[in-house]
Amino acid sequence: KAVVSTQSTGDLESDVAGDTSGSLKHVLVALIQGNRSENGVDHTQAISDAQELYDAGKARWGTNESAFNKILVSRSPKHLKRVFNEYRNIANGEDIETAIKSEMSGDTKDAFLALVRVIKDAELYFAEQLHKSMKGLGTNDDKLIRLLVWRCEIDLDEIKTCFKLVAKGETLEEFISGDCSGDYKRALLTLCG
């Protein structure tokens, strides 16, 4: 947020709020505000949060997306993993991703699914996104570059391990070599280490 503020004339939160609407706007603004708890797991609260998510979605007609926003954006990752397990118990084996897919639509659904997937397994999520950026005809260069630059000094080694599973044995470097060329390919491979 601070980096974007120094590089642009506007405030990131105001820009996102002005360019989006509805539930997606609320999710994105809450994420930008960065009010996620870093506390550990409160088992009683995890059960309560899981019940609130169930009541806000599956147990009612229509979906109370603000309840999903409140919990998924503000609780710690460790706590949310426990909430997801408790949700499965409450929802007779259905996981939170399945509930989000059936209860929501559009960009809001995609935002909540991304949040859940990153919380569950960030490295696998980013491996899947890298694979999607190169799979099929053409390459989504913006996505590929953004992910590699962002993750190269954080957890790219772990992502590369997951990528090999996602790509059915092909490594990230092999995928890049087959999809890209020239200086661009060499730069991407350098980022890969």
Side-chain angles (χ1 to χ4, degrees), residues 61-174:
W61 178 257
T63 304
N64 179 358
E65 292 168 344
S66 65
F68 280 82
N69 192 31
K70 177 184 84 171
I71 293 168
L72 296 179
V73 172
S74 67
R75 305 294 195 259
S76 74
K78 287 181 181 178
H79 180 84
L80 285 171
K81 286 179 183 180
R82 179 62 182 235
V83 170
F84 300 156
N85 287 334
E86 295 299 335
Y87 184 91
R88 186 182 296 271
N89 295 335
I90 291 168
N92 299 317
E94 182 177 276
D95 71 353
I96 190 72
E97 287 182 65
T98 303
I100 290 169
K101 287 176 189 174
S102 69
E103 293 294 320
M104 298 181 195
S105 62
D107 293 333
T108 302
K109 175 185 79 173
D110 293 341
F112 282 129
L113 284 173
L115 277 170
V116 168
R117 289 174 180 158
V118 168
I119 295 297
K120 283 183 171 182
D121 190 338
E123 291 81 12
L124 178 60
Y125 174 79
F126 291 121
E128 290 168 345
Q129 295 305 306
L130 282 166
H131 187 253
K132 285 179 186 175
S133 74
M134 296 180 282
K135 187 175 86 173
L137 294 174
T139 301
N140 183 335
D141 294 312
D142 290 341
K143 186 175 197 175
L144 176 59
I145 293 166
R146 183 176 53 251
L147 288 168
L148 284 178
V149 169
W150 178 28
R151 306 311 295 186
C152 71
E153 294 182 356
I154 299 171
D155 56 359
L156 191 57
D157 287 338
E158 293 84 1
I159 292 170
K160 285 167 41 176
T161 301
C162 291
F163 186 92
K164 196 168 182 177
L165 297 171
V166 171
K168 297 180 175 77
E170 196 168 355
T171 67
L172 178 58
E173 292 87 350
E174 290 168 342

